[in-house]
Amino acid sequence: EKQVLKDKTDRLFDKSKENEVYEFFSSIMSISRDRQNRELHRRNTRRIEDMLKPKAHVDDPVVAYFGTEGSYSEEAAIEYFGEDAKRFNAKNFEDAFLSLKDDKADYAVLPIENSYTGTISDVIDLLADYNYYIVGEAAIPIRHCLLGLPGASVGDIRHIYSHEQGIMQSMDFLKTLKDVEWDTYFNTARSAKMVAESGDKTKAAIASRRSARLYGLDILAEDINNSNKNTTRFIVVSKAPELDKDCDKISAAFTLPHESGELHRVLACFARGGLNLLKIESRPLPDRNFEYKFFVDYVGNLLDEDVRRITNGVIEGTSEFELLGNYKAAVK
């Protein structure tokens, strides 16, 4: 808008009219902005209204989880839904979302953030792409182990396999090993399964104790994490929202006008409203150079009128806004 206004005034032959022309086109732009904000507000109010008309929690759910049997994602699914819940594995993050889309599963359990390595950006992007809802979360302590074939020792190992997160989270331990290579593999549990099936004592996997039991492997070294407080947060995703009085955490995504001070203005809405902002993170927009989508977590329940009012205040200052879910935070 500033560039358009400058172009208009630069073309004037009579510079005495500059202020009038500037005010004229500024007024048109202001009317346009107001109209866009009202339309946007109506669209996102419907999103809030959807949240306030949630579906009932499925009593006997089918759950898709990322990874192989024995993965930390399966552990999170068991933690949230119980050992007896029907569950199956998805080979990658998007397959878990497709299981929801094709009605093969009622819920999907996916890792979203690790306390040591940070946010898992692929899951964040898919959550926005599919426009699904977070309805719950589980926090699982991560205790990586080095797993090898029965009878193998750490000195026998020449190749180690794991998910890239498992390798990153165990790098301090890996650096102590000599003449050993490490490679990323599909996930931690699948790495353990591959090592078990290989019959090769020079191969090992970074995975969980449960994977060792499931695939008949020895624990060659335990608690090899860089941090002894390593925890991964898993989200429970559904096609429809769920909301009750116990929900105390809201996740949302938004974009902003590409102007100075816009992010500060939105953050000030949270501060003035007294809502605790738990997290903010940006992801680049693929179709716009050096512009970003912001993802936030904050404390609140949309059944509370004040929380809805503050959320609507945030919405009005954004270009696009999407509620990703209102759910009960995991006990850490």
Side-chain angles (χ1 to χ4, degrees):
E1 291 181 3
K2 291 175 182 176
Q3 186 60 52
V4 170
L5 291 169
K6 184 176 184 301
D7 289 344
K8 297 294 184 186
T9 53
D10 285 349
R11 293 181 187 183
L12 288 173
F13 292 105
D14 184 355
K15 294 299 181 181
S16 67
K17 305 293 185 183
E18 185 172 323
N19 287 339
E20 294 175 19
V21 170
Y22 188 94
E23 289 299 325
F24 175 75
F25 283 102
S26 291
S27 297
I28 293 175
M29 290 175 176
S30 178
I31 293 168
S32 176
R33 280 198 307 273
D34 287 344
R35 176 62 183 270
Q36 291 175 54
N37 281 333
R38 285 197 302 273
E39 291 298 319
L40 179 67
H41 179 67
R42 278 196 284 270
R43 289 199 298 273
N44 286 290
T45 297
R46 286 198 294 270
R47 183 80 173 180
I48 291 179
E49 289 171 351
D50 288 343
M51 293 291 300
L52 298 176
K53 300 174 183 176
K55 71 165 188 175
H57 185 78
V58 179
D59 290 331
D60 188 22
V62 177
V63 182
Y65 63 88
F66 164 69
T68 309
E69 186 181 10
S71 66
Y72 290 109
S73 293
E74 187 192 28
E75 189 175 337
I78 293 170
E79 171 79 14
Y80 192 86
F81 291 101
E83 182 73 51
D84 296 332
K86 299 172 188 174
R87 59 184 184 272
F88 64 91
N89 65 298
K91 64 182 180 180
N92 57 48
F93 295 141
E94 185 155 24
D95 277 355
F97 280 87
L98 290 172
S99 297
L100 295 175
K101 181 180 179 182
D102 297 336
D103 294 323
K104 294 178 180 178
D106 300 299
Y107 301 100
V109 176
L110 299 139
I112 189 71
E113 181 182 20
N114 179 264
S115 59
Y116 186 81
T117 55
T119 299
I120 300 170
S121 56
D122 289 348
V123 176
I124 285 254
D125 292 340
L126 286 166
L127 192 63
D129 290 344
Y130 278 83
N131 206 28
Y132 291 167
Y133 293 86
I134 303 172
V135 297
E137 68 175 11
I140 302 297
I142 304 300
R143 299 184 62 189
H144 289 315
C145 300
L146 184 68
L147 310 182
L149 290 175
S153 66
V154 174
D156 296 325
I157 304 305
R158 295 293 174 265
H159 300 276
I160 296 175
Y161 302 88
S162 190
H163 187 270
E164 62 179 352
Q165 290 278 327
I167 289 174
M168 291 169 61
Q169 294 162 19
S170 308
M171 189 56 67
D172 291 348
F173 170 79
L174 293 175
K175 288 178 179 178
T176 67
L177 305 179
K178 295 182 179 180
D179 302 320
V180 175
E181 297 179 352
W182 49 85
D183 296 293
T184 58
Y185 204 64
F186 296 95
N187 56 66
T188 56
R190 194 164 171 182
S191 300
K193 183 178 181 182
M194 182 272 289
V195 168
E197 293 174 346
S198 73
D200 187 344
K201 287 189 176 183
T202 68
K203 293 181 178 180
I206 295 172
S208 66
R209 285 176 169 272
R210 190 164 187 269
S211 292
R213 292 195 302 270
L214 283 171
Y215 301 113
L217 297 174
D218 283 353
I219 297 176
L220 309 184
E222 58 184 337
D223 294 333
I224 63 174
N225 311 51
N226 299 341
S227 169
N228 60 9
K229 295 184 179 179
N230 192 346
T231 300
T232 294
R233 186 166 66 90
F234 294 82
I235 53 172
V236 180
V237 180
S238 175
K239 289 169 70 174
E242 296 179 6
L243 178 64
D244 61 37
K245 62 181 178 59
D246 294 325
C247 294
D248 56 5
K249 185 175 181 180
I250 299 171
S251 293
F254 59 82
T255 60
L256 294 171
H258 196 46
E259 296 179 9
S260 174
E262 290 299 317
L263 180 58
H264 177 270
R265 196 202 63 75
V266 168
L267 296 181
C269 289
F270 291 105
R272 287 195 302 270
L275 291 186
N276 184 17
L277 189 62
L278 301 172
K279 178 183 176 182
I280 181 167
E281 183 159 332
S282 62
R283 295 283 298 145
L285 292 168
D287 55 343
R288 300 181 220 170
N289 287 338
F290 305 110
E291 294 190 39
Y292 300 89
K293 175 174 281 191
F294 295 90
F295 293 84
V296 293
D297 293 336
Y298 59 100
V299 173
N301 186 309
L302 289 168
L303 296 175
D304 185 319
E305 185 176 345
D306 286 340
V307 174
R308 291 200 305 275
R309 175 180 53 77
I310 297 164
T311 299
N312 279 325
V314 173
I315 289 172
E316 289 175 1
T318 63
S319 299
E320 299 171 4
F321 185 96
E322 182 180 8
L323 277 167
L324 300 178
N326 193 179
Y327 50 96
K328 185 171 178 56
V331 178
K332 299 180 181 178

